[in-house]
Amino acid sequence: MPTTTPTTTAVELAIGGMTCASCAARIEKKLNRMDGVEATVNYATEKAKVTFREDVAVADLIATVEATGYTAQEPPPVRPRAEAQAQDTTDPDDELRPLRQRLLTAVVLAVPVIAMSMVPALQFQYWQWLSLTLAAPVVTYAAWPFHRAAWTNARHGAATMDTLISLGTSAAFLWSVWALFFGTAGMPGMTHPFELTIGRSDGAGNIYLEAAAGVTAFILAGRYFEARSKRKAGAALKALLELGAKDVTVLRADGREETVPTDELKVGDRFLVRPGEKIATDGVVVEGTSAVDASMLTGESVPVEVAPGDTVTGATLNAGGRLVVDASRVGADTQLARMAKLVEDAQNGKAAAQRLADRISGVFVPVVIGLALATLGFWLATGSGVTAAFTAAVAVLIIACPCALGLATPTALMVGTGRGAQLGILIKGPEVLETTRKVDTIVLDKTGTVTTGRMTLLAVHTADNTDKAEVLRLAGALEHSSEHPVARAVADGAASEVGTLPVPEDFANIAGLGVQGVVDGHAVLVGRERLLGEWAMELTPALKRAKEEAEAAGRTAIAVAWDGEARAVLEVADAVKETSPEAIRRLRALGLTPILLTGDNRAVAEAVAAEVGIETVYAEVMPEDKVDVVKSLQAEGRSVAMVGDGVNDAAALAQADLGLAMGTGTDAAIEAGDLTLVRGDLRAAADAIRLSRKTLGTIKSNLFWAFAYNVAALPLAAAGLLNPMIAGAAMAFSSVFVVGNSLRLRRFKAADH
């Protein structure tokens, strides 16, 4: 009996209460223990991406997270934009305000405690008691989030970064209180017995109030700047989501204009876009001409001219005339929504190196607590005294930092993918980054990728005593009545050169040969040379030579004649994009070997390759055989990237080690690609690979720093070479460094910007 694969559902949960990477590791471990559940928890984005069987309820997932000591929420229901904005009155600064208040309290009170402890001139009689008075609010109120999180985790039998901070600061504070009340630390003239503790002066006694207060202040500062930086890291995605128009003017059947929220638009609605307004959703222009600025979506600074029949994208800006647009996609189906979803999915992914870091973070805290106890025992066993042993153990607790490990990949991904979205480059996930480092060959589909994908009038060769403008006017008028792609190219080229075209009479389409008709009293023929032969006309030697040269270059040659004489030869071809030669140079500079792949005949393919600077050409390849070309290159040991935009490229894009889909192409191609280039400029392929490699480099440098920091810092602390306060500052800096290093990706610029 055949077995059926159970259907699965995916959900994204917003997780609350995480304070470090070990928190994320615990939640992920608990969720993955559920039968039929696969989960990935991202500390930086504070989200869990969960795939689960249909027999598992979302409520069960939330209950599991809550049983672990954290909060979880389902995504909010989709609401109309206007309603959502009316109800969303939260200040984006609300999240940071409590943290900032605790930080200010800690800094104001900790500075004098540290100063009195370190500067002998400030140590008046019984100064220790003032230090206790000032340090108490720091260790209780300011450090309360650490203690609360540590207690919550302890109730669930777990330990996190907050456990280490709470243990370290509490131990230092309580030890100091004991020494003040029951020891000799409250008496003047006591010297510090542990000489390895740096920066202490005579009179400090056995108290560590400056360590307890200073560590709290430093770590709160680190958390605050980390939170601000994480918000900046996600700013690009937030800006992308907010690009869309809020309201739209819909044209009703009775001719009325009605302004409604964009969320109420339906497929098939016709809406008005005035100059200076944003286009509300994806659609097709049915009336009007204009220039559309798509820079906010594609990174392309030059506005695109649109006319009836052209597609437009939601959130782009109408920079010219009045347009009427027929809505073709709304809501989650629009290009803007799909871009945002791609970016968000990429940010929630994890690279292999990050999974290793997460596994380490999961056992990191218990190991550190064990190391601190071992350090305490070692110093006591060697006879160094309780103070020496205590100082080293506290330093071990405070300097350890799994947070940097947890932030290394997600912050770089957040910034890198967000910056890519601003430049019209969509990266599907962290695995893609690793592939971009390895690729050495890039296969380029010709039509729509290297070339414009549409026939264009490239040249006009005229006979003696024939005016070029007259040729274009008569030939263009006749071709304007034909729907053939070559005819459209001639008509469009003629209209752009001479303006308004006359209307022909007695128009006739001669199948396989061309068209004929009367224009302004002239009997005009436009088509193959054979068409002229049927009317007993021949091309002049010069025109014959021009035709042969055009065909040798892979172009289509069209003869034009009127009033019994051959007058001109027109050259039509799928024109190479102006930016393609520069793109090929940039791809070569990245160490990639470009290869042209096309179903066109070899003459056309080689002419295009020569124009852009490609040496290797695969021509006359059937769509189903494109995969075989990619496989054959891979069999040679190459790592292959593929750039394409059509349905017939989808399989090859999926087969390639790295698929780059032109966003101007089909949905099938975009779905199969690893990177999507929103604008149809091949230079974006070079920018995408460059950005991906730079993001990968940032991830690796972050992970190196995070591992190296902990490997170096823990032995130093265990050896008693670090004051606990300095250890706290170093720990806070390690997380801020990783996030700050990731934020440098915001400065990445496309080569043409």
Side-chain angles (χ1 to χ4, degrees):
M1 200 174 158
T3 58
T4 58
T5 305
T7 58
T8 59
T9 308
V11 70
E12 204 170 73
L13 299 176
I15 307 295
M18 292 194 296
T19 55
C20 69
S22 51
C23 298
R26 284 187 58 234
I27 298 169
E28 189 171 298
K29 188 176 180 181
K30 289 281 189 181
L31 286 171
N32 284 323
R33 280 181 178 170
M34 296 176 69
D35 192 29
V37 174
E38 287 185 17
T40 300
V41 181
N42 192 314
Y43 167 50
T45 60
E46 298 180 337
K47 290 179 181 176
K49 188 175 182 181
V50 190
T51 304
F52 55 97
R53 286 201 314 253
E54 57 186 357
D55 57 333
V56 178
V58 175
D60 297 334
L61 302 175
I62 293 174
T64 299
V65 175
E66 290 176 345
T68 314
Y70 304 90
T71 63
Q73 287 183 321
E74 286 187 78
V78 177
R79 295 175 295 172
R81 185 187 301 270
E83 181 189 338
Q85 289 181 333
Q87 293 183 15
D88 186 11
T89 57
T90 57
D91 184 344
D93 202 40
D94 283 351
E95 181 187 347
L96 291 178
R97 190 174 289 115
L99 187 56
R100 185 167 57 241
Q101 289 170 347
R102 293 181 192 275
L103 172 60
L104 288 173
T105 301
V107 170
V108 169
L109 298 179
V111 167
V113 175
I114 296 168
M116 285 187 287
S117 183
M118 299 296 178
V119 182
L122 299 177
Q123 293 172 357
F124 53 88
Q125 191 172 16
Y126 301 117
W127 62 269
Q128 299 97 326
W129 297 97
L130 177 60
S131 292
L132 176 64
T133 305
L134 295 174
V138 177
V139 179
T140 53
Y141 165 72
W144 177 247
F146 308 138
H147 305 317
R148 182 181 56 206
W151 171 246
T152 301
N153 285 305
R155 283 171 45 217
H156 291 86
T160 65
M161 189 67 225
D162 291 297
T163 307
L164 300 182
I165 298 168
S166 180
L167 281 175
T169 55
S170 298
F173 182 75
L174 293 174
W175 174 278
S176 302
V177 170
W178 182 89
L180 280 168
F181 281 94
F182 304 107
T184 56
M187 304 298 293
M190 282 298 299
T191 58
H192 198 287
F194 187 33
E195 295 176 357
L196 287 176
T197 301
I198 301 167
R200 302 298 290 258
S201 64
D202 289 348
N206 295 330
I207 64 171
Y208 292 92
L209 293 170
E210 88 288 356
V215 164
T216 301
F218 281 128
I219 294 174
L220 280 172
R223 289 270 173 100
Y224 177 72
F225 290 116
E226 178 189 314
R228 280 189 60 185
S229 298
K230 280 164 64 179
R231 197 165 69 177
K232 285 182 183 176
L237 177 58
K238 186 177 179 184
L240 191 66
L241 290 167
E242 292 175 351
L243 276 178
K246 298 174 180 61
D247 299 308
V248 58
T249 303
V250 180
L251 300 178
R252 299 303 183 191
D254 57 3
R256 283 185 305 113
E257 294 183 5
E258 182 182 355
T259 301
V260 299
T262 303
D263 300 288
E264 294 182 13
L265 264 182
K266 299 179 181 64
V267 173
D269 281 349
R270 289 196 172 184
F271 60 93
L272 177 65
V273 189
R274 298 180 179 88
E277 291 183 345
K278 285 184 179 178
I279 295 172
T281 194
D282 299 358
V284 179
V285 177
V286 293
E287 185 182 315
T289 59
S290 182
V292 173
D293 179 0
S295 58
M296 65 286 293
L297 280 185
T298 67
E300 180 60 61
S301 58
V302 180
V304 178
E305 297 292 333
V306 296
D310 291 336
T311 58
V312 289
T313 306
T316 54
L317 184 68
N318 179 17
R322 177 184 183 276
L323 295 175
V324 176
V325 180
D326 187 32
S328 58
R329 285 176 174 170
V330 296
D333 295 328
T334 63
Q335 183 171 331
L336 176 64
R338 290 162 68 203
M339 282 175 64
K341 185 72 171 67
L342 278 172
V343 174
E344 197 163 18
D345 287 347
Q347 291 182 351
N348 285 329
K350 289 188 180 181
Q354 184 62 32
R355 294 187 184 280
L356 172 63
D358 286 350
R359 284 198 295 273
I360 293 171
S361 298
V363 298
F364 189 89
V365 174
V367 168
V368 170
I369 292 174
L371 181 59
L373 292 173
T375 300
L376 180 68
F378 172 81
W379 283 105
L380 289 173
T382 56
S384 298
V386 176
T387 305
F390 174 79
T391 304
V394 170
V396 168
L397 286 173
I398 290 171
I399 201 165
C401 185
C403 300
L405 292 173
L407 290 167
T409 293
T411 53
L413 263 180
M414 285 171 71
V415 183
T417 54
R419 181 60 183 146
Q422 291 174 329
L423 297 172
I425 299 165
L426 306 182
I427 303 169
K428 278 199 175 175
E431 302 82 4
V432 173
L433 305 178
E434 188 65 36
T435 308
T436 59
R437 183 180 61 86
K438 300 173 184 175
V439 292
D440 52 30
T441 303
I442 186 160
V443 177
L444 306 167
D445 173 58
K446 180 184 77 69
T447 306
T449 302
V450 177
T451 64
T452 61
R454 61 181 183 275
M455 301 299 280
T456 306
L457 178 62
L458 299 180
V460 179
H461 303 278
T462 60
D464 293 340
N465 301 320
T466 302
D467 181 52
K468 176 184 173 183
E470 184 71 356
V471 170
L472 290 173
R473 198 172 68 84
L474 298 179
L478 206 56
E479 294 282 50
H480 187 69
S481 298
S482 172
E483 292 302 320
H484 193 281
V486 171
R488 299 308 309 160
V490 173
D492 292 344
S496 65
E497 288 274 342
V498 300
T500 305
L501 300 173
V503 178
E505 301 171 19
D506 299 328
F507 172 83
N509 182 42
I510 296 109
L513 292 179
V515 293
Q516 66 183 42
V518 177
V519 182
D520 287 349
H522 300 286
V524 184
L525 300 174
V526 182
R528 296 177 182 271
E529 184 181 6
R530 217 174 88 204
L531 177 61
L532 272 64
E534 291 192 358
W535 289 82
M537 286 182 273
E538 291 185 359
L539 295 176
T540 65
L543 292 178
K544 188 88 168 175
R545 188 163 53 252
K547 172 181 174 293
E548 290 169 352
E549 288 173 357
E551 290 174 343
R555 296 174 177 175
T556 300
I558 304 161
V560 180
W562 67 80
D563 296 343
E565 290 184 34
R567 308 283 184 162
V569 167
L570 311 179
E571 288 187 35
V572 174
D574 179 7
V576 169
K577 294 176 182 176
E578 291 181 3
T579 56
S580 290
E582 174 64 20
I584 299 302
R585 287 193 290 274
R586 292 182 189 176
L587 291 169
R588 285 190 186 278
L590 291 170
L592 304 176
T593 301
I595 293 175
L596 189 67
L597 178 65
T598 180
D600 274 358
N601 68 67
R602 179 157 295 277
V604 172
E606 290 184 346
V608 170
E611 188 172 345
V612 299
I614 296 177
E615 295 163 4
T616 308
V617 177
Y618 287 85
E620 301 173 14
V621 178
M622 298 298 290
E624 59 272 17
D625 296 332
K626 289 186 176 183
V627 176
D628 295 331
V629 172
V630 174
K631 284 181 179 177
S632 68
L633 292 169
Q634 290 170 328
E636 294 173 10
R638 303 194 198 197
S639 183
V640 181
M642 166 82 187
V643 186
D645 73 332
V647 172
N648 58 1
D649 299 321
L653 286 167
Q655 174 63 37
D657 299 287
L658 178 69
L660 294 93
M662 288 286 191
T664 51
T666 64
D667 290 347
I670 294 170
E671 185 63 32
D674 301 306
L675 289 162
T676 299
L677 314 176
V678 178
R679 66 184 193 268
D681 185 340
L682 190 56
R683 290 178 300 181
D687 289 332
I689 292 173
R690 202 161 51 86
L691 174 61
S692 298
R693 288 180 176 178
K694 196 167 184 64
T695 304
L696 178 65
T698 301
I699 289 172
K700 290 189 171 180
S701 64
N702 283 349
L703 286 169
F704 172 79
W705 163 262
F707 279 112
Y709 163 81
N710 283 291
V711 168
L714 285 169
L716 285 174
L721 297 174
L722 288 176
N723 181 298
M725 186 173 62
I726 295 172
M731 191 278 281
F733 173 75
S734 67
S735 292
V736 174
F737 172 85
V738 165
V739 179
N741 188 42
S742 299
L743 285 174
R744 293 189 306 123
L745 288 167
R746 296 173 76 194
R747 299 199 296 267
F748 177 89
K749 285 185 169 54
D752 54 324
H753 279 54

